[in-house]
Amino acid sequence: MASSIIKDAKVLMVGAGGIGCELLKTLALSGFSEIHIIDMDTIEVSNLNRQFLFRQSHVGQSKAKVARDAVLKFRPKINITSYHANVKDPDFNVDFFKQFNVVLNGLDNLDARRHVNRLCLAADVPLVESGTTGFLGQVTVHVKGRTECYECQPKPAPKTYPVCTITSTPSKFVHCIVWAKELLFSKLFGDKNQDNDLNVRSSDAASSSKNIEDIFEHSKDEDIGQYGKKIFDHVFGYNIELALSNEETWKNRNRPKPIYSKDVLSDELDKQNGDLDNDNACGDGFSVSAMSSLGMKNPQDIWSLKENSRVFLEALRLFFTKREKDIGNLSFDKDDQLAVEFVTAAANIRAASFGIPLHSLFEAKGIAGNIVHAVATTNAVIAGLIVIEAIKVLKNDIKSYRMTYCLEHPARNTLLMPVEPFEPNKSCYVCSESPVLLEINTNRSKLKDVVEKIIKAKLGMSLPLVMNASNLLYEAGDIEDDMVAIYNANLEKVLAELPSPVTGGTMLTVEDFQQELKCNINIKHREEFDEEKEPDGMVLSGWTQPVAAAENEDKSVSNGANTSDAPITEVEKSENDDDVGIISPVKKRKLPDDSDKSNTADDERHHKKLQVIDDEDDLVMLDGNLDGFKKRRVS
Amino acid sequence: MEKRKEKERKKQEREGGRERKIKSDLVQAVYNRIYEIDESNGSQLLFKMDHRLRLEMNGDGEELTAQETALYDRQIRVWGADAQRRLSKAHVLVYGIKGTIAEFCKNIVLAGVGSLTLIDDRPITEELLSSNFLIPPDENIYNGKTIAQLCCDSLKDFNPMVRVFVEKGDLSSFDVEFFGKFDVVVVSCCSRSAKKLANEKCRKASKRVAFYTVDCRDSCGEVFVDLQDYKYQKKKMEETIECHLKYPCFEDALSVPWRALHRRMSKLYFAMRVIEKFEEVEGRSAGDVSDADLSNVLKLKKELCTAQSLNESHVPDTLLERLVADTTEFPPVSAVIGGILGQEVIKAISGKGDPIKNFFYFDASDGKGIIEDISDSNIGN
């Protein structure tokens, strides 16, 4: 089987995680002998259940390097080059990509996937892309000019929640988690200078926001037990009382119940102080645990309100006594045991107050950490399918290219479903150089807003350059100091007042040299924007936008990023979790159906037809329109 | 009358529409890649977990250790802690180890079964080495050892919480009592009669033993599943429902007349039966065929098709040619089949999710992975 096409091929693998380990093994067995592999991650215990090239003793080491060494043990004669680095590093430029015959992705985040897609397009190297979640998986092939690129299809934006749901009217456990993690945790242990809706909202009625601020401030001489109790009573008691006073809110909702520490813990509070010196069992840093100092073991247990309250106070105390130097610059990390304990307890107490079922630490950690579940078998299947596609690509067997879906519940009797790839989307700004349209108030919005909210967040450029005709307005990256000053000044100017003014009818050119991506933005001036529906104060169109998952009532909070002024539309997810790719099909998503094309409608997509490969006598046509696949029998 | 018909039709359309909607959601869902668990997904997850916790209270009460919870974190989030506990008590036997079985072994050792027993007394050959990542290609290591011993050494290392054993002997030499010690038996690289015999013995055991056969040739693979009388749980919309399936044994499945099978039956099913039969009548061991046998294999195909009144076009010569010419396993296909088989065994042990009934086919040349139900009860459907 190891034909010379395979033997002579030079392959780049991006990602040495769940899919990566399986892929590297299958490539080596299949006769590939020149493989380069990039991964910035190091090995963690929770990887070992599926990333079979890694052992307990490798925890903390580079995934790419350990994977290489492990595969060389059973295929010593092949060449594997490993890079413990971020694929977005400038070293991995277009020239680097050009040396490969095919690029295979086993990535875990949208950002890196988009980046690799652009480099593959620029270098004209075919890309085989993949993803798994639980028992679901998919493999797609992207060849410039032949098939759609990775970005031709809209990618759903992560879920965000309206701020008021989080601060005042939670109805689901996840709302309590987001509150505990993004508001309370950040308020107590995060950057003090950051805007935080916890005090904004909790002081809606009060004019004395200064007062509220003081409550969270811990003075040196304040007894930590008393301080914890004060915070507890403020956020779970006083704030709820305050919210209850607004009768309007509770007309059609269940009224929450204020919870005070003295009611829950009664006599135990004094004992808590007794534990103060009993800290020898806990280690430093991430190993500090309220659970272990309280003698609780099973993360699958659902704690009572009382237990949650004890964990809350104990975790708070441990942060201030054992992790004092971290306070002020912590952000939630799912691998930080104490942080997970604190957030679990806080979310549960809030849930109890609002009559929402409580959850175990294990479950809370999954929700708070956005942990994507993963198993070895799906990764193995997907890796096999990637290699099958890679071989077709090397043979230039274009007609046989397939996107394949690995399903949990077989559609009819099909468990692995191959589908012909789409054609490139002519309105894709990435692979078709089609211009985009930006509606914006040119007299009010600053260049900075365009760079941050549009060029970086929406267009996915990391080091952009912005030009108005031949005038350079802004350039990121390695530039001279005097230019930095000019560009920084430009960033703060509104569009119409730039040295070369940007007004309605202007065409901006933005470019990212690393990605070799250039995009034209047509500017259309618009005076007013709907604060609720268009919180950015600008609207980008002309290509298929991500499906907006936000319930945009006003500002919104997402489960997974810092709260800031702007709603988070695209959360970078570059933590160590691998295999993120797709979602469970049992999950209900709000899909715009035929009667409602308002959000994502892009009629141009109708031109595509997707054909399910099936037996000759029973062809099934799927319409490629993303408003939903419509099945049609063709006789 | 007309109105009622019209109503019926509309109702059907609605239902059909709903089915399509579900399917379109599914395809859409699979198509889009979601990078964060969002609200509805989160609540699904919670639902699963609520359900799991209820089960746990009724379960045997043993808890997973902290070490297990840490190691299996990501998969417990897929199948729940009670499934993980059942896995850790399950005993699995494999017979005949080539690339696909090596893949399968890796998958279930990682998943954390209680024990895995390996049987394959063959010494290392170039072919066996080529598809098996469990064996280092170093004569100093593999000399004098059997395949099973070498694989055992590697697999132990994958997951210290799984016990891996080696047994010796021919498949036919093991008795009912031996098979009865296992919860799952997987056989590969053996003749049709040996498969039948092992399947029979598993069925005679005092407790239910899930039985699987697996074969990969060229870029094709076949899995057979016998779960006997099988009850399991699955989720339908928001509810967990009990399901019940009755499986035929290998012999009964194979004796279903070809004519009775549905028109679009996977061609691989017939092709595999032809080759199996050829090896049987020629007294060959499994996989011991080559190009030179092609004309005789094609002759046998003609005979079988005539005897079974099946149009020969259902068993293309080109397919048989592929299967005869290259009996070595194609590693990507081994990965796919070994993955699917691993998933099925995990389902059977945990009693969760729809299992395959009762054959699975994958052919890399068209990329389809198809489930076929070949049993008496299914005739004419």
Side-chain angles (χ1 to χ4, degrees), chain A residues 105-159:
Chain A
N105 268 358
L107 277 164
D108 66 351
N109 67 87
L110 180 60
D111 198 43
R113 282 185 166 106
R114 292 175 78 175
H115 186 83
V116 173
N117 179 50
R118 291 164 187 203
L119 282 160
C120 285
L121 285 168
D124 200 5
V125 178
L127 169 67
V128 182
E129 169 65 63
S130 68
T132 69
T133 289
F135 293 124
L136 300 170
Q138 67 186 13
V139 174
T140 55
V141 188
H142 307 280
V143 181
K144 188 178 182 178
R146 296 282 185 172
T147 72
E148 63 174 9
C149 82
Y150 177 70
E151 293 176 85
C152 281
Q153 303 285 356
K155 304 290 176 286
K159 183 81 190 172

Side-chain angles (χ1 to χ4, degrees), chain B residues 177-215:
Chain B
E177 200 196 336
F178 176 81
F179 286 112
K181 287 192 283 189
F182 300 95
D183 301 285
V184 174
V185 170
V186 181
V187 305
S188 183
C189 320
C190 61
S191 70
R192 166 150 131 170
S193 56
K195 288 177 188 169
K196 280 184 191 173
L197 195 63
N199 191 184
E200 267 169 40
K201 286 175 182 168
C202 287
R203 282 193 159 238
K204 282 183 189 149
S206 53
K207 70 163 199 289
R208 190 171 60 85
V209 180
F211 177 82
Y212 299 82
T213 74
V214 58
D215 271 297

Side-chain angles (χ1 to χ4, degrees), chain A residues 524-591:
Chain A
K524 185 179 168 192
H525 176 78
R526 193 170 124 193
E527 204 59 42
E528 294 299 329
F529 289 87
D530 187 323
E531 270 181 44
E532 285 181 17
K533 289 182 182 135
E534 300 153 340
D536 281 344
M538 51 186 99
V539 176
L540 185 71
S541 57
W543 61 289
T544 330
Q545 298 234 29
V547 181
E551 304 163 359
N552 274 321
E553 282 177 31
D554 52 354
K555 297 203 290 180
S556 49
V557 187
S558 81
N559 179 14
N562 293 322
T563 50
S564 63
D565 285 343
I568 295 113
T569 50
E570 205 131 57
V571 178
E572 187 175 327
K573 186 170 181 307
S574 51
E575 56 203 15
N576 287 330
D577 249 315
D578 50 20
D579 312 339
V580 185
I582 52 172
I583 58 171
S584 158
V586 287
K587 186 174 89 74
K588 291 282 164 304
R589 290 190 39 235
K590 270 186 220 152
L591 288 173

Side-chain angles (χ1 to χ4, degrees), chain B residues 20 58 67 72 78 140 190 204 319 334 361:
Chain B
R20 269 201 302 278
N58 304 332
Q67 189 190 10
Y72 301 135
V78 178
N140 297 323
C190 61
K204 282 183 189 149
L319 180 57
S334 292
Y361 290 96

